[in-house]
């Protein structure tokens, strides 16, 4: 099956710094990518939908200025957590699909810990 | 989007068949039912998808009654490596075109 690579798998940062997470579709062109966050023992919560070449659509309650999403190419989307704080510590997961009729593939996730 | 309800957790032993039922009473005509598996600290992995009746692949079977208000994921002869969280999702079209909303999932624990 298709592969979605997410990097880094784990990051620890100090409060106030920004962290960038990359999501790459390795063997297909992803017109749409989704970003989720997941707290321990909880389900995935959709944060935003990212379409290549356009602005991301954020879910209600997700601050777009804090979670910057860029989908500049058909194989790469990035999520930048700006001025991270301890409450931003979470597991972030991306997913990608080639088009609306294709299966969704998930990355392996990024564990963010903000000290 | 149809809301789904699953048991929060289930326990089983190796070699047993496990059936996880998901309720989706307000499923729409165009909705498909998809199940994902998630191991700790990993992204979800597609297991199976169906629209009606029965679907089987090398990993699992999916049973959907005629009214489609529920579905059952069947895992034959589970092993310790099947310990994971299983999510039932319902979405419009074969693949949810806009959003894929995850419910609480079922945490399956397989014991030796």
């Amino acid at each position: 099956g298709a592969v979605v690579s997410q990097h880094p798998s784990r990051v620890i940062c100090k409060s106030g710094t920004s962290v960038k997470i990359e999501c790459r579709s390795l063997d297909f062109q992803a017109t749409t990518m989704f970003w989720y966050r997941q707290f321990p023992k909880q389900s995935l919560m959709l944060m935003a939908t990212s379409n290549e070449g356009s602005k991301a659509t954020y879910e209600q309650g997700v601050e777009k200025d804090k979670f910057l999403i860029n989908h500049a190419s058909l194989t790469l989307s990035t999520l930048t957590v700006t001025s991270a704080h301890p409450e931003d510590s979470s597991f972030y997961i991306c997913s990608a699909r080639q088009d609306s009729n294709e299966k969704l593939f998930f990355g392996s996730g990024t564990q963010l810990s903000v000290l | 989007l149809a809301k789904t309800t699953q048991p929060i957790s289930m326990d089983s032993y190796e070699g047993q068949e496990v059936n996880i039922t998901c309720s989706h009473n307000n499923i729409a005509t165009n909705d498909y039912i998809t199940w994902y598996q998630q191991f700790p600290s990993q992204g979800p992995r597609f297991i199976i998808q169906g629209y009606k009746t029965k679907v089987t692949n090398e990993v699992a079977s999916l049973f959907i009654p005629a009214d489609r208000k529920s579905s059952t994921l069947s895992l034959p002869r589970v092993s310790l490596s099947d310990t994971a969280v299983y999510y039932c999702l319902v979405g419009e079209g074969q693949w949810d075109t806009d959003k894929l909303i995850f419910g609480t999932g079922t945490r399956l624990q397989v014991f030796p």
Side-chain angles (χ1 to χ4, degrees):
Chain A
V3 177
V4 174
S5 174
Q6 193 171 336
H7 180 80
S9 59
R10 180 178 294 272
V11 58
I12 301 173
C13 70
K14 293 182 178 180
S15 184
T17 60
S18 294
V19 174
K20 180 183 285 188
I21 302 170
E22 293 186 348
C23 181
R24 295 180 183 272
S25 56
L26 297 185
D27 51 1
F28 67 100
Q29 293 186 323
T31 56
T32 304
M33 289 186 173
F34 301 89
W35 287 95
Y36 295 82
R37 66 186 298 182
Q38 185 177 32
F39 293 108
K41 299 293 177 71
Q42 294 188 24
S43 185
L44 287 78
M45 184 189 77
L46 180 65
M47 298 175 67
T49 302
S50 168
N51 291 299
E52 187 267 337
S54 61
K55 290 184 178 180
T57 301
Y58 290 82
E59 294 300 301
Q60 190 173 10
V62 178
E63 299 176 58
K64 62 179 181 180
D65 293 330
K66 180 165 187 64
F67 299 99
L68 300 179
I69 293 173
N70 183 281
H71 193 165
S73 78
L74 285 171
T75 59
L76 174 65
S77 176
T78 59
L79 166 67
T80 301
V81 183
T82 61
S83 186
H85 291 284
E87 58 266 29
D88 298 323
S89 297
S90 185
F91 191 57
Y92 293 86
I93 306 170
C94 72
S95 63
R97 67 175 183 221
Q98 188 165 2
D99 59 46
S100 61
N101 293 320
E102 296 292 324
K103 184 187 296 185
L104 198 62
F105 294 94
F106 286 83
S108 54
T110 298
Q111 182 64 52
L112 171 64
S113 299
V114 184
L115 304 178
Chain B
L1 295 170
K3 179 180 170 61
T4 61
T5 303
Q6 306 173 232
I8 292 178
S9 64
M10 294 181 69
D11 292 337
S12 182
Y13 291 94
E14 281 192 294
Q16 290 187 333
E17 177 184 77
V18 171
N19 296 308
I20 305 175
T21 297
C22 177
S23 297
H24 26 81
N25 291 319
N26 59 339
I27 188 170
T29 303
N30 294 333
D31 285 344
Y32 280 71
I33 301 155
T34 309
W35 286 79
Y36 284 84
Q37 174 192 55
Q38 186 183 26
F39 296 113
S41 299
Q42 293 189 28
R45 184 176 72 112
F46 169 83
I47 300 176
I48 198 166
Q49 183 185 73
Y51 183 80
K52 62 181 180 180
T53 62
K54 176 184 174 182
V55 179
T56 298
N57 61 23
E58 64 278 6
V59 177
S61 294
L62 179 59
F63 299 92
I64 305 169
D67 65 6
R68 303 199 326 123
K69 293 185 182 298
S70 67
S71 59
T72 300
L73 174 72
S74 182
L75 305 172
R77 297 180 298 281
V78 294
S79 63
L80 295 177
S81 61
D82 293 316
T83 294
V85 178
Y86 293 82
Y87 294 97
C88 162
L89 289 86
V90 174
E92 181 176 351
Q94 188 168 8
W95 299 106
D96 199 307
T97 54
D98 291 327
K99 301 179 183 181
L100 206 57
I101 305 298
F102 284 78
T104 57
T106 297
R107 189 172 300 274
L108 173 65
Q109 178 68 54
V110 180
F111 295 96

